[in-house]
Amino acid sequence: MQCGLCCKIYGDRISPTPTDLYTWMVNGNTDVLRYFFGQMSDGRIINCAALEPSDIGEIIEIEMRDPGSGGYLTVCPFLKRVADSRYVCSIHEIKPEMCCNFTPWERRQTDFRLCRALKR
Ligand code: SF4
């Protein structure tokens, strides 16, 4: 329904899979990768835009962060408002697997009362 609500509420916790990272790396999606930081097996924290596909196996944890400040985000940076109460995902074609697989219109995945789809 393009309300953007799930992306606003859960979007600061987006975590890409190794497959997401690999796809973005080989396709040169550094504009997406730069919003993610990997904690490596040797303790270093590295911006994913600076990693190679061969580094993926060394990543222990991935966090979404502001690429400029390194601080945590409160809303997914890929969510774009296109009209009053209407939002789209600016990386829809290549968005992370967890976003592709999320089905908020199914009860138990989303329980908040503001969900328009659940009111149908
Ligand atoms: S990547 Fe797209 S679908 Fe996923 S939370 Fe962000 S705006 Fe929503």
Side-chain angles (χ1 to χ4, degrees), residues 55-85:
D55 298 321
I56 292 175
E58 302 302 316
I59 301 174
I60 294 171
E61 191 175 5
I62 304 167
E63 288 188 332
M64 177 187 268
R65 296 198 191 180
D66 184 306
S69 68
Y72 290 104
L73 297 163
T74 55
V75 176
C76 179
F78 307 116
L79 184 65
K80 298 290 176 218
R81 194 171 96 163
V82 293
D84 276 352
S85 302

Side-chain angles (χ1 to χ4, degrees), residues 7 11 14 76 78-79 88-89 91 95-96 99:
C7 303
I14 295 302
C76 179
F78 307 116
L79 184 65
V88 296
C89 174
I91 60 166
K95 66 187 177 186
C99 301

